[in-house]
């Protein structure tokens, strides 16, 4: 299939593009390139792509495409808190616009990168499945709920949106992020010897490796229409339904000489959800996630050591909010996060 992959120069997109290509798909990227230089190790070989802001996409960008995989977004809660209105402009309005252009151009499948954080304050130890009430607690998560709703209204016989509600990602990507929980804790452990948890460690935070997300999207792309049409899927595995304190312990086990420190200074985190991932396994027989948290922690520790993680890179280059603040302070992006020409 000819696949347009938005966000191909992000953390997940950089892992997903080669997986799609290896599966025989013809991949074209589309990305503003906000984090294109956030590289750990050798520079990745990107597929052919266009540097364009999602808000400026035109019909030309989706012409001749069979499927869109839409990852591009302001991708976490701190970015959403920085500028909620920008989060809604980019994540919500521009995403729905892209989907309308795609549908008008005859694109048949639209895989949308949603998130398990749509369950937000689910609380408790019960597993939440896709039909659980959505209780987003941040503008980021709310933007994802709004897109799912609006894409649902676009679904018809010729256009199949699919809502891929990913657990929190972890693992190595050539374009790293250290502002997601496991990647962050492994970095802290290596740099300071402490696995530093600022919350009380109790919230449930299901995890999934970036490579498993890439395999899941590829499977959803190739699945029969009736298996995925207009459906939401939690992407991850019950094995990796873990509390933040458990994640911290796995990290301490993976990084010799490190120890867990739970300060509790930010109190109880309202974002807590324990997730049922069975629907995707039933829709895609044979699919399961391959990566455990422990193996991911070992992989990351190895990658950080091999490529020489510095404190500066950890706190600046691999932290999305810090990168955008630095670009804004340097005047390379304006206050709507568009590049200044
Ligand atoms: N990483 C996770 O834990 C996780 C979990 C669940 C869902 N997701 C979703 O998966 C997607 C990818 O996440 P990621 O971790 O790779 O994030 P990322 O921040 O690494 O990548 C996002 C990409 O989108 C691009 N982008 C941002 N604003 C843009 C704009 N206005 N125009 C064009 N491109 C723009 C960025 O340049 C970047 O390359 C996001 O939609 C995110 O919400 C991620």
């Amino acid at each position: 299939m000819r696949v347009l992959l938005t966000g191909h120069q992000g953390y997940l997109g950089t892992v997903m593009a080669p997986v799609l290509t290896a599966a025989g798909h013809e991949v074209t990227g589309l990305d503003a390139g906000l984090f294109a230089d956030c590289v750990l190790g050798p520079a990745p070989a990107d597929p052919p792509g266009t540097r364009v802001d999602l808000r400026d996409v035109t019909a030309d960008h989706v012409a001749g495409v069979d499927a869109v995989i839409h990852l591009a977004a302001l991708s976490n809660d701190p970015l959403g808190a920085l500028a909620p209105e920008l989060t809604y402009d980019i994540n919500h309005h521009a995403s729905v616009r892209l989907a309308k252009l795609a549908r008008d151009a005859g694109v048949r499948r639209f895989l949308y990168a949603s998130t398990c954080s749509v369950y937000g304050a689910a609380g408790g130890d019960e597993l939440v499945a896709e039909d659980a009430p959505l209780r987003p607690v941040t503008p980021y998560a709310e933007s994802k709920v709004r897109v799912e709703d609006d894409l649902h209204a676009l679904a018809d016989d010729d256009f199949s949106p699919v809502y891929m509600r990913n657990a929190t990602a972890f693992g190595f990507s050539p374009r790293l992020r250290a502002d997601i929980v496991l990647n962050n804790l492994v970095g802290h452990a290596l740099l300071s010897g402490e696995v530093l948890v600022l919350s009380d460690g109790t919230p449930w935070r299901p995890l999934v490796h970036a490579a498993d997300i890439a395999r899941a999207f590829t499977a959803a792309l190739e699945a029969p229409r009736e298996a995925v049409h207009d459906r939401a899927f939690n992407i991850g595995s019950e094995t990796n339904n873990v509390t933040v304190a458990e994640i911290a312990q796995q990290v301490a086990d993976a990084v010799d000489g490190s120890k867990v420190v739970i300060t509790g200074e930010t109190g109880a985190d309202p974002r807590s959800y324990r997730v049922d991932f069975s629907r995707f396994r039933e829709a895609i027989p044979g699919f399961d996630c391959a990566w455990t948290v422990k193996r991911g922690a070992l992989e990351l520790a190895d990658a950080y050591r091999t490529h020489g993680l510095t404190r500066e890179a950890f706190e600046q280059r691999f932290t999305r909010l810090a990168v955008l603040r630095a670009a804004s302070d340097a005047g390379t992006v304006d206050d709507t996060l568009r590049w200044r020409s």
Side-chain angles (χ1 to χ4, degrees):
M1 276 186 239
R2 285 161 300 179
V3 180
L4 178 69
L5 176 65
T6 77
H8 73 292
Q9 291 181 310
Y11 170 69
L12 293 180
T14 303
V15 173
M16 198 176 293
V19 172
L20 291 165
T21 305
H25 302 293
E26 196 183 306
V27 179
T28 307
L30 186 154
D31 200 309
L34 295 170
F35 311 110
D37 297 333
C38 301
V39 169
L40 181 71
D46 290 333
T50 313
R51 179 157 291 194
V52 64
D53 195 288
L54 196 59
R55 293 163 287 185
D56 302 329
V57 163
T58 66
D60 286 347
H61 294 111
V62 285
V65 165
D66 298 310
V68 171
I69 297 182
H70 182 38
L71 306 181
L74 295 182
S75 58
N76 65 10
D77 294 327
L79 293 180
L82 169 76
E85 70 293 348
L86 272 183
T87 292
Y88 291 121
D89 277 354
I90 296 171
N91 292 12
H92 178 210
H93 301 299
S95 294
V96 175
R97 211 176 129 261
L98 171 71
K100 284 183 178 156
L101 288 168
R103 190 178 75 154
D104 292 348
V107 172
R108 299 188 66 82
R109 196 162 294 189
F110 191 95
L111 304 187
Y112 176 58
S114 187
T115 167
C116 286
S117 57
V118 294
Y119 302 117
D125 291 345
E126 294 301 309
L127 291 176
V128 288
E130 287 82 351
D131 49 7
L134 305 185
R135 296 194 178 101
V137 292
T138 62
Y140 166 73
E142 175 63 33
S143 75
K144 298 282 177 180
V145 173
R146 292 185 190 179
V147 176
E148 287 195 15
D149 283 349
D150 289 353
L151 291 184
H152 170 64
L154 295 177
D156 65 16
D157 289 349
D158 300 315
F159 184 71
S160 297
V162 187
Y163 322 111
M164 305 287 278
R165 293 182 185 162
N166 303 293
T168 299
F170 67 90
F172 178 71
S173 162
R175 287 202 180 83
L176 200 80
R177 280 182 66 179
D179 53 6
I180 37 185
V181 60
L182 185 81
N183 299 6
N184 184 271
L185 294 179
V186 174
H188 256 294
L190 278 167
L191 291 168
S192 70
E194 290 187 344
V195 188
L196 192 63
V197 178
L198 301 180
S199 74
D200 64 2
T202 58
W204 289 102
R205 192 58 46 81
L207 300 185
V208 61
H209 195 284
D212 284 329
I213 293 179
R215 289 172 48 245
F217 273 70
T218 307
L221 184 73
E222 297 170 352
R225 174 186 179 278
E226 57 278 11
V228 296
H229 174 76
D230 194 24
R231 296 186 79 191
F233 294 104
N234 296 329
I235 302 300
S237 64
E238 286 77 1
T239 321
N240 293 342
N241 265 328
V242 276
T243 63
V244 173
E246 283 167 352
I247 300 170
Q249 191 53 54
Q250 302 267 11
V251 171
D253 292 346
V255 179
D256 281 346
S258 66
K259 64 172 195 308
V260 176
V261 178
I262 297 182
T263 69
E265 66 197 67
T266 57
D269 187 334
R271 300 167 303 166
S272 180
Y273 38 88
R274 191 161 170 255
V275 175
D276 178 335
F277 295 99
S278 59
R279 184 189 279 184
F280 193 66
R281 286 194 301 270
E282 282 154 22
I284 312 283
F287 181 86
D288 210 350
C289 290
W291 284 80
T292 59
V293 172
K294 183 174 183 185
R295 193 171 144 225
L298 289 167
E299 175 212 34
L300 261 177
D302 191 46
Y304 282 151
R305 281 195 200 97
T306 304
H307 301 302
L309 180 69
T310 62
R311 182 164 289 282
E312 184 280 331
F314 180 63
E315 289 173 357
Q316 299 294 320
R317 191 175 354 135
F318 300 136
T319 299
R320 294 294 182 251
L321 186 57
V323 171
L324 292 182
R325 283 217 164 108
S328 175
D329 290 349
T332 50
V333 297
D334 66 19
D335 57 9
T336 68
L337 298 181
R338 289 174 193 273
W339 293 112
R340 286 185 207 273
S341 44

